[in-house]
Amino acid sequence: MSKRLFSVLVLIFLAGGIFIFPALPVLSVSNRKKTSQRFYSMNGFRNGFAISYTHSVNKGRVKDFYKSKGRKLVCGRTVFVSYGAGIPEPQEMPGAVFKSTDEGYEISNINRTVDKLVMAVGIVANHAFSIQDKNGKSTDYFLADFFEPQTSIVFQIKNVSIADYIFHHIK
């Protein structure tokens, strides 16, 4: 085998490996039973994300804010428009801070850490996924646009290949 052919084959192998090897950390949102239904967010991994929904008891809108910490998800704060049944009490969470803001009521410093977040896409809840870009502009995606209502979905930090990311990412 000539040196030139060997070099070309090595380059092709390396280039293929870059596109196939799962080395890109992202926030993955996937159907728990049908993992082929999924999307990835680089900004969700880097800048954090929020999940908003209509509360089942008091019918107010709630927004939970998450950040990634290594391969874990950390809920740092929650904001809600009405306080009442079904809303956690700050004293139930050691170190949490309750305050009233222009957005509504906020409990911060929650620091609830999970390996993955499993939830069902709600019909009445109208779940939305929000991410911010590097300029602070927020984009909302309604989960029912990606998954059937009542589908069990998983939010988690994963390493994926560049090719997988290209075919399944959201902007």
Side-chain angles (χ1 to χ4, degrees):
M1 181 183 302
S2 75
K3 204 173 196 183
R4 179 177 234 175
L5 178 60
F6 179 75
S7 298
V8 169
L9 289 175
V10 168
L11 284 174
I12 289 171
F13 179 75
L14 288 174
I18 289 171
F19 282 98
I20 296 170
F21 185 72
L24 193 63
V26 297
L27 173 67
S28 168
V29 182
S30 63
N31 181 324
R32 191 169 63 88
K33 293 182 180 174
K34 220 185 207 181
T35 57
S36 61
Q37 290 183 331
R38 65 188 181 276
F39 65 84
Y40 303 130
S41 172
M42 184 74 72
N43 284 337
F45 168 73
R46 290 181 180 156
N47 305 327
F49 65 97
I51 298 173
S52 59
Y53 55 94
T54 301
H55 195 278
S56 62
V57 176
N58 65 32
K59 303 301 182 204
R61 202 73 181 153
V62 178
K63 197 168 197 176
D64 296 331
F65 294 85
Y66 291 84
K67 294 236 182 237
S68 62
K69 184 176 183 182
R71 298 198 42 98
K72 298 196 181 282
L73 299 173
V74 180
C75 180
R77 68 185 179 109
T78 185
V79 175
F80 39 94
V81 294
S82 60
Y83 189 72
I87 299 296
E89 295 290 334
Q91 58 268 25
E92 294 173 7
M93 298 170 274
V97 177
F98 180 87
K99 66 181 174 183
S100 179
T101 69
D102 292 340
E103 292 179 291
Y105 301 99
E106 176 182 298
I107 300 176
S108 60
N109 204 31
I110 297 171
N111 298 323
R112 185 184 74 202
T113 302
V114 294
D115 293 325
K116 58 185 170 183
L117 176 65
V118 179
M119 60 178 278
V121 177
I123 296 171
V124 175
N126 199 22
H127 288 99
F129 167 74
S130 305
I131 52 174
Q132 284 188 341
D133 63 18
K134 61 185 174 190
N135 300 319
K137 182 180 179 258
S138 184
T139 305
D140 294 338
Y141 300 93
F142 287 92
L143 292 174
D145 292 340
F146 297 90
F147 306 100
E148 289 292 320
Q150 299 181 332
T151 299
S152 180
I153 61 173
V154 179
F155 290 78
Q156 64 187 336
I157 304 302
K158 287 179 79 171
N159 284 352
V160 299
S161 69
I162 292 172
D164 196 16
Y165 179 75
I166 288 170
F167 291 111
H168 295 101
H169 78 284
I170 59 173
K171 305 234 184 259

